[in-house]
Amino acid sequence: MANKDSWFPGSVIYQIYPRSFYDTNNDGIGDLRGIIQKLGYLAGSENSLGVDAIWLSPFYLSPMIDFGYDVADHCAIDPVFGTMDDFDELIEKAHERNIKVILDFIPNHVSDQHKWFREARMSKNSKKRNWFVWRDLREDGAPPSNWLSVFGGSAWEFDATSKQYYLHTFLKQQPDLNWDNPEVRSAMKDIMKFWLNKGVDGFRVDSVCWLSKDEECRDDPINTDFDSRTHSSYDSLDHIYSRDGPKLYAYLSELASVLDQYKDKVIVVEANPNLNKDKGYYLSFYNNVEPHVMAPFNFAVLNMPWDARSVKHYVDTFQAGLRSEYNPIYVLSNHDKSRIVTRLGVSAARTAATLLLTLPGSPFLYYGDEIGMENAAVADDNALDPITGRETYAEAGRDPERTPMQWSNGVNAGFSAVKPWLPIGEKYLQSNVLLEEDDKSSMLNLYKQLISLRRSNEAIHHGRYEPFDAPDQDIFGFQRIVDDEVILVLLNFVGESRVVDIDGDILFSTHPTATTGVLAPNEAQIIKLRGV
Ligand code: NOJ
């Protein structure tokens, strides 16, 4: 994977949630033309952020029950986002700026409005019946197994017409495809080819751990560590049968092999360890999927407390397990998780940005984090995310981290001329692109500096990772090394200053003034070591 001839290793990828990026047709919803108009913000102009690629969350035809993760036609653009001509223009204009384009690909389920499912549910004899997972009731009328939906409740929905249940790992409007059926796999591979032939550079593949399940649908055992105060109801079971089944890597290898027929394309998979127990889970995707064009997101740091010891222990161990050709994909936020500033505060968010942009591999940034956007308050009555209020872990749903990009301090933060689909974040007057472009100390300029340093410094861009034992346990330090150049990254995880006895030149600091040998509260420094 970490093939130096490929564009991907070392690249910075920017996630765009199209509904919330920029609205050009004044319907309050972002669109593809909005992305085209804002490409210069991202790369290819003097003052751009400087990212290498964009990942577009789904823009396919969809009833939008799960905001596009319920696809009704994988090869059509939902009119709310524009047309196929807009898409073709987007690819062309992005490539002119040397921005690669990665699409969201959702293989585990479709919308219940997809023609495949509409046909499948017509009768037990339908040709598409076996494209989905149908099972009979138990003798007592109960669902076929105790499997749970990630979004709460049973994963089985009763279909009164055929008197069978169908499986839905997410919403009941998102029936799971039956990946054990070769026709399904073939259809999904054709969809990938459709977009690859249009010139896309890769895919972010949704929810892959559910592609293979126990064909007998045996009951998952109880999770004996379950605590309803801290876990979602889904975690009350240990999902040994309903996910990560025996064919998972074989199916992913089939997807990966599609890319082999093209040049320099990539796949990043969304795979969450069962009950958050990593234990080599991410590594197994590198080790078991052939050809090596696939890497899993690593959500471990995003899901752990912001504590230098834990993060150091995790990253040092994970890096030690990676072969040199494996490309790590660290993530600190996305459209399903609380914003970084909301989780950590502004000061630590600057440290987090430094961490993400100095670690090896290909970091993914979530739109708006670069201007320090925070979760917006979305009143319960206005909540749109279907899982709002369903689960302890996501009581407020995911709307707060999906609000419109804050471009300026103007009407609707410069996102749209009309009322946007979700409210504008309350702090848009302070956190917006226009204002931050002119403020040297802004979050936006911090991200720009880090991305530019990453690009210009070979050690940070492609160097190997070496652990570093900092003199203080509240500091996470690591080295990036290429030939005889050693870059030391020091991150102070606490709100108090710390002394470090280091001899080097400070290339970057999160603070306006930096002093060698001292880390101010929450300061991160990037240091070129002397005399190595
Ligand atoms: C993971 C996606 O990130 C999330 O937004 C979506 O709701 C589920 N998969 C279901 O597709």
Side-chain angles (χ1 to χ4, degrees):
M1 186 84 205
N3 165 7
K4 283 211 39 192
D5 300 329
S6 161
W7 64 271
F8 190 51
S11 287
V12 176
I13 296 88
Y14 184 93
Q15 179 188 356
I16 293 179
Y17 196 72
R19 291 186 81 82
S20 289
F21 200 55
Y22 189 53
D23 175 20
T24 57
N25 65 343
N26 295 331
D27 61 357
I29 297 175
D31 42 57
L32 296 180
R33 300 217 67 78
I35 301 173
I36 296 172
Q37 281 198 28
K38 294 294 184 183
L39 286 172
Y41 168 73
L42 298 171
S45 299
E46 209 183 307
N47 200 23
S48 304
L49 183 56
V51 300
D52 301 287
I54 50 179
W55 151 28
L56 304 175
S57 286
F59 49 72
Y60 313 111
L61 189 73
S62 164
M64 303 288 168
I65 308 289
D66 191 18
F67 291 102
Y69 285 93
D70 46 332
V71 179
D73 183 343
H74 298 89
C75 298
I77 312 281
D78 195 282
V80 85
F81 296 121
T83 65
M84 196 56 90
D85 284 346
D86 295 335
F87 178 81
D88 291 337
E89 189 178 328
L90 170 55
I91 285 271
E92 194 188 319
K93 297 260 167 70
H95 284 168
E96 274 168 22
R97 290 178 177 273
N98 214 7
I99 301 174
K100 305 284 185 190
V101 180
I102 294 179
L103 302 193
D104 222 305
F105 180 61
I106 302 132
N108 179 68
H109 42 269
V110 293
S111 159
D112 61 354
Q113 299 307 307
H114 195 294
K115 63 176 187 222
W116 298 341
F117 189 70
R118 291 222 299 252
E119 193 179 328
R121 83 183 312 174
M122 275 161 66
S123 99
K124 278 187 180 170
N125 304 322
S126 151
K127 283 204 186 108
K128 290 283 185 300
R129 188 74 173 177
N130 193 30
W131 282 45
F132 296 87
V133 185
W134 297 93
R135 293 287 184 275
D136 290 330
L137 299 67
R138 284 186 175 174
E139 272 176 12
D140 60 0
S145 74
N146 69 350
W147 291 2
L148 293 174
S149 154
V150 176
F151 288 163
S154 170
W156 296 101
E157 179 69 12
F158 188 61
D159 176 57
T161 320
S162 61
K163 308 233 172 341
Q164 280 194 315
Y165 281 89
Y166 68 85
L167 184 69
H168 60 91
T169 297
F170 294 90
L171 299 171
K172 67 175 185 210
Q173 296 92 339
Q174 293 167 299
D176 280 31
L177 285 161
N178 173 14
W179 269 71
D180 297 324
N181 180 345
E183 285 175 8
V184 168
R185 303 204 295 279
S186 171
M188 295 314 276
K189 286 185 279 187
D190 285 347
I191 293 164
M192 291 172 75
K193 289 178 203 157
F194 173 85
W195 292 106
L196 287 164
N197 292 340
K198 282 195 166 286
V200 306
D201 301 285
F203 300 97
R204 171 271 185 192
V205 186
D206 187 76
S207 302
V208 295
C209 28
W210 289 276
L211 293 185
S212 170
K213 309 152 177 121
D214 179 39
E215 287 187 56
E216 287 175 46
C217 301
R218 277 171 283 184
D219 278 356
D220 279 331
I222 302 289
N223 169 19
T224 47
D225 296 330
F226 178 68
D227 178 346
S228 61
R229 287 165 305 181
T230 49
H231 292 131
S232 67
S233 60
Y234 182 69
D235 286 344
S236 62
L237 299 181
D238 186 358
H239 310 282
I240 61 170
Y241 292 120
S242 56
R243 44 167 290 174
D244 299 308
K247 312 249 182 71
L248 175 58
Y249 302 120
Y251 295 161
L252 291 178
S253 297
E254 280 193 38
L255 295 186
S257 66
V258 174
L259 269 55
D260 243 12
Q261 299 149 32
Y262 297 81
K263 205 171 158 276
D264 204 11
K265 309 289 181 188
V266 298
I267 291 184
V268 178
V269 293
E270 185 206 31
N272 292 286
N274 186 18
L275 302 174
N276 224 359
K277 290 178 190 153
D278 183 339
K279 285 199 201 124
Y281 185 75
Y282 294 125
L283 211 52
S284 66
F285 287 84
Y286 296 100
N287 289 335
N288 297 314
V289 181
E290 297 272 3
H292 288 296
V293 289
M294 189 175 285
F297 282 125
N298 189 318
F299 299 116
V301 178
L302 162 60
N303 289 326
M304 68 177 54
W306 187 246
D307 163 71
R309 290 168 205 80
S310 322
V311 176
K312 173 181 170 48
H313 176 72
Y314 181 82
V315 176
D316 284 356
T317 313
F318 182 68
Q319 285 296 138
L322 287 180
R323 289 200 223 136
S324 62
E325 69 269 28
Y326 295 170
N327 188 43
I329 315 283
Y330 293 101
V331 203
L332 291 185
S333 63
N334 63 29
H335 62 292
D336 296 326
K337 296 286 179 183
S338 181
R339 291 255 177 210
I340 302 180
V341 172
T342 306
R343 281 197 332 260
L344 305 177
V346 177
S347 188
R350 295 169 72 91
T351 320
T354 314
L355 169 67
L356 188 64
L357 289 163
T358 52
L359 282 172
S362 308
F364 275 61
L365 314 180
Y366 184 48
Y367 86 95
D369 280 349
E370 79 280 13
I371 53 169
M373 273 175 65
E374 298 184 30
N375 284 7
V378 180
D380 280 358
D381 304 354
N382 299 332
L384 297 176
D385 181 18
I387 66 169
T388 310
R390 280 197 179 190
E391 295 288 343
T392 328
Y393 77 105
E395 197 110 50
R398 299 165 296 180
D399 295 330
E401 59 261 26
R402 296 176 175 180
T403 57
M405 178 69 177
Q406 295 159 196
W407 293 105
S408 74
N409 55 5
V411 177
N412 299 319
F415 164 75
S416 172
V418 301
K419 187 171 177 246
W421 73 289
L422 280 176
I424 301 290
E426 303 86 81
K427 302 228 179 112
Y428 79 99
L429 291 175
Q430 293 117 274
S431 303
N432 66 66
V433 174
L434 192 67
L435 186 90
E436 294 190 31
E437 273 179 338
D438 289 335
D439 173 3
K440 271 207 164 107
S441 65
S442 67
M443 190 72 91
L444 180 57
N445 277 315
L446 177 105
Y447 270 81
K448 282 185 185 172
Q449 278 175 61
L450 283 165
I451 293 173
S452 142
L453 182 59
R454 182 182 178 87
R455 192 188 298 279
S456 62
N457 186 293
E458 188 55 15
I460 302 176
H461 206 184
H462 291 123
R464 67 176 194 278
Y465 177 96
E466 288 284 340
F468 176 83
D469 291 326
D472 189 295
Q473 299 224 318
D474 290 325
I475 295 170
F476 171 30
F478 58 88
Q479 304 174 88
R480 302 295 312 282
I481 304 175
V482 95
D483 301 328
D484 55 0
E485 177 163 36
V486 180
I487 298 294
L488 175 65
V489 180
L490 292 176
L491 309 147
N492 182 358
F493 272 55
V494 294
E496 291 165 20
S497 59
R498 291 285 184 260
V499 174
V500 281
D501 185 16
I502 300 292
D503 189 17
D505 298 316
I506 300 174
L507 302 183
F508 166 90
S509 162
T510 45
H511 286 43
T513 52
T515 314
T516 311
V518 180
L519 287 180
N522 291 311
E523 182 179 0
Q525 291 184 359
I526 303 177
I527 301 163
K528 182 172 159 45
L529 291 190
R530 277 191 220 130
V532 187

